[in-house]
Amino acid sequence: MDMGSASMASTAAMAMPTSTGASQMDMSMGGSSCKISMLWNWNTVDACFISSSWHITSRGMFAGSCIGVILLVVSLEFLRRLGKEYDRYIVGQFKYQNITAANGQENASMSSSSEGDTNNNGKDFAGVDERTTRSRNFVSRDPKAQPFRPKFFQQMIRAGLHMVQFGVAYFIMLLAMYYNGYIIICILIGAFIGSFIFSWEQVATR
C-alpha cells in the first residue's frame, strides 16, 4: 500500500516538470518573454515574429507592426503590377520596332514603284492598284501575331522582379504561420487595398 502511493507520488513529481516545460515552451523561447503559439491566438504585447528582435513591448509597437504588415502586402501587389507593366513595355517596344522597320521597307518599295510608274505612260492605274495591294498586305501583317522572346537583359529584369515577389510573399507566409488573428486580418486588409489600387485597369471584353 505504501509502495503504491510512493510510486504514484514519484510519477506525478516526474510529470509535473514535463508539463510545466511544455507550457513554458508555448509561452517563451530561449528564456525571453516572447509569446509564441502554434494555435490561433490574439497576442499583442510580448508577441514575437520571425526573430527575437521583433519583440512587441507595447500596444503602440504592435499597431506599428500591423501597419507595416499591411504596407508589406500592398508592396507585393505593387510588385505584381510592376512585373505586368514591364512585360507590356518590352512587348510594346518590340511592336514599335517591327512597325518602324516595316514602314521603312514599305516606303522604300512605294518610292521605287512610283519611280517606275512615271516611266510607263498610260499605266498609272496599274501602279496605284499595285501600291494598294502592297498596303493591304502590310496592314494584314499584324505585329501581335509575331512571336516575342525577351532579350537576355530583359529576362534578367523579369527574373529579378519575380525573385523579389517570391521573397516578399514567403515573408508574408511566415508571418501568417504565427496564427495571430490581428496579423492575419492585416494581411487580408493589405491584399484588399493592394488589389484595389494596383489591379484597377482596363479589362478585356473579349
Side-chain angles (χ1 to χ4, degrees), residues 139-183:
V139 173
S140 64
R141 294 195 298 268
D142 187 5
K144 294 181 180 179
Q146 299 181 7
F148 169 68
R149 182 183 178 88
K151 299 178 182 178
F152 179 79
F153 182 72
Q154 294 173 340
Q155 184 62 22
M156 284 188 62
I157 296 177
R158 296 177 75 238
L161 290 173
H162 177 75
M163 179 188 67
V164 177
Q165 291 179 36
F166 188 85
V168 174
Y170 191 79
F171 193 83
I172 294 171
M173 183 198 69
L174 291 177
L175 289 174
M177 289 178 64
Y178 284 86
Y179 301 101
N180 189 290
Y182 297 109
I183 296 298

Side-chain angles (χ1 to χ4, degrees), residues 26-151:
D26 292 338
M27 300 299 293
S28 63
M29 289 292 291
S32 64
S33 58
C34 289
K35 293 180 179 179
I36 298 176
S37 177
M38 298 306 294
L39 299 175
W40 187 270
N41 64 89
W42 300 93
N43 297 332
T44 54
V45 180
D46 286 336
C48 289
F49 302 100
I50 307 299
S51 67
S52 59
S53 59
W54 192 350
H55 180 197
I56 306 301
T57 57
S58 64
R59 293 185 180 273
M61 185 177 179
F62 186 80
S65 298
C66 290
I67 295 174
V69 170
I70 293 174
L71 295 178
L72 183 66
V73 182
V74 171
S75 68
L76 176 61
E77 297 296 331
F78 168 74
L79 290 171
R80 290 174 177 171
R81 178 63 182 269
L82 183 62
K84 291 172 61 177
E85 292 297 327
Y86 182 73
D87 288 345
R88 291 175 182 172
Y89 169 74
I90 59 179
V91 170
Q93 191 177 34
F94 171 76
K95 292 178 181 178
Y96 176 77
Q97 292 174 355
N98 285 347
I99 292 175
T100 303
N103 284 336
Q105 295 177 359
E106 185 68 18
N107 292 333
S109 62
M110 293 282 286
S111 62
S112 61
S113 62
S114 62
E115 291 177 358
D117 292 339
T118 55
N119 297 328
N120 297 326
N121 295 327
K123 296 183 180 179
D124 292 336
F125 291 103
V128 171
D129 292 338
E130 185 180 356
R131 288 193 298 270
T132 304
T133 302
R134 281 197 295 266
S135 298
R136 290 176 179 175
N137 292 334
F138 169 72
V139 173
S140 64
R141 294 195 298 268
D142 187 5
K144 294 181 180 179
Q146 299 181 7
F148 169 68
R149 182 183 178 88
K151 299 178 182 178

Side-chain angles (χ1 to χ4, degrees), residues 81 84-85 88 144 195-206:
R81 178 63 182 269
K84 291 172 61 177
E85 292 297 327
R88 291 175 182 172
K144 294 181 180 179
S195 178
F196 184 84
I197 296 174
F198 298 110
S199 67
W200 196 352
E201 56 183 338
Q202 294 182 354
V203 179
T205 56
R206 294 182 180 180

